[in-house]
Amino acid sequence: MTKGELRKQIKKRISLMTPQEKFEASVECSEALIQKREFQEADIVLSYMATENELNPMYVSIKTLMLKKTLAFPRCVPDSNRMEYYALKENLTIDEQLEEGSWGISEPKTFLPQIHEEDLAGKKVLVIVPGVAFNSNGARLGHGAGFYDAYLSRLRKTEGIELYTVGMCFSCQLEDDIPQEEHDIKIDFVIYSSL
């Protein structure tokens, strides 16, 4: 099966889930991640704003701020496959710090401090990576633009960073056989719902 065919198949599976099932799965996976050492020890959590076809890690994002950890969201760089992360401020609501960005996904406003790779040296960083499909070996199928593969490749070259990557997904997004290419970056572990 090609990557495109698998994306269509997974999208169809997700479309059969009710909003309540998506919500319950998001809470279940978020609670599981919060219990993991990688989250508890992280200085910085790089999260994302979910689309309707993705598991929503907002509970993890809120908990990150409550614990006084640095929380950042990605912003796509126009006309490229690059994205940059911006750290949210504690004294504003999350919604006040976001605006509609590329692909219709909420992105952080540019008045927020940008996190550069060199700023992460000596830090424990947890990256929550969205995707279309995942497997237990760390393979991930993204949406096809290569944003996360490019960013994770840059992060892995950063000296002195203790990096953990996690995929969070609905159980219907698990696939044993995910087509992989040389540039596809594997993640460290996957948390998936029981639904």
Side-chain angles (χ1 to χ4, degrees):
M1 183 178 308
T2 68
K3 287 183 174 184
E5 291 167 339
L6 183 54
R7 285 186 185 101
K8 286 180 187 174
Q9 187 180 80
I10 298 291
K11 187 174 181 181
K12 185 174 182 176
R13 289 181 203 165
I14 294 170
S15 73
L16 300 175
M17 295 179 70
T18 66
Q20 184 65 29
E21 288 171 331
K22 290 177 183 179
F23 172 78
E24 289 173 9
S26 295
V27 170
E28 175 190 359
C29 291
S30 294
E31 288 176 345
L33 179 57
I34 287 167
Q35 299 304 313
K36 293 197 83 52
R37 175 187 58 83
E38 291 85 353
F39 173 80
Q40 293 174 3
E41 294 181 0
D43 300 307
I44 300 171
V45 176
L46 305 181
S47 191
Y48 66 91
M49 293 299 296
T51 67
E52 67 178 318
N53 289 322
E54 294 173 332
L55 191 134
N56 191 339
M58 185 53 71
Y59 180 64
V60 175
S61 299
I62 292 167
K63 188 71 170 179
T64 300
L65 291 175
M66 289 173 59
L67 293 172
K68 307 290 186 203
K69 297 174 184 281
T70 300
L71 171 67
F73 288 121
R75 183 175 184 89
C76 295
V77 176
D79 302 318
S80 75
N81 73 337
R82 288 181 61 94
M83 62 183 188
E84 304 295 345
Y85 277 84
Y86 290 80
L88 273 62
K89 297 183 177 186
E90 294 178 27
N91 62 335
L92 298 172
T93 67
I94 291 176
D95 284 344
E96 289 174 318
Q97 300 178 72
L98 302 175
E99 62 189 2
E100 186 173 322
S102 302
W103 316 100
I105 300 169
S106 294
E107 294 182 336
K109 295 179 179 177
T110 55
F111 73 81
L112 297 166
Q114 183 177 343
I115 294 180
H116 300 278
E117 287 84 10
E118 58 270 14
D119 299 334
L120 301 176
K123 304 284 187 191
K124 293 180 180 179
V125 180
L126 175 65
V127 185
I128 306 172
V129 184
V132 176
F134 298 89
N135 73 20
S136 60
N137 296 322
R140 169 189 166 271
L141 177 65
H143 294 281
F147 286 100
Y148 279 88
D149 291 320
Y151 187 76
L152 292 174
S153 178
R154 286 177 13 222
L155 267 191
R156 290 199 169 153
K157 294 175 186 168
T158 304
E159 289 189 33
I161 185 174
E162 193 170 330
L163 179 65
Y164 302 103
T165 55
V166 59
M168 293 175 59
C169 68
F170 305 116
S171 59
C172 67
Q173 292 176 271
L174 292 174
E175 276 290 319
D176 289 332
D177 188 26
I178 296 177
Q180 294 285 279
E181 297 174 36
E182 188 176 316
H183 67 272
D184 292 328
I185 302 289
K186 289 193 171 195
I187 57 172
D188 296 319
F189 62 100
V190 178
I191 295 176
Y192 56 91
S193 65
S194 59
L195 297 175

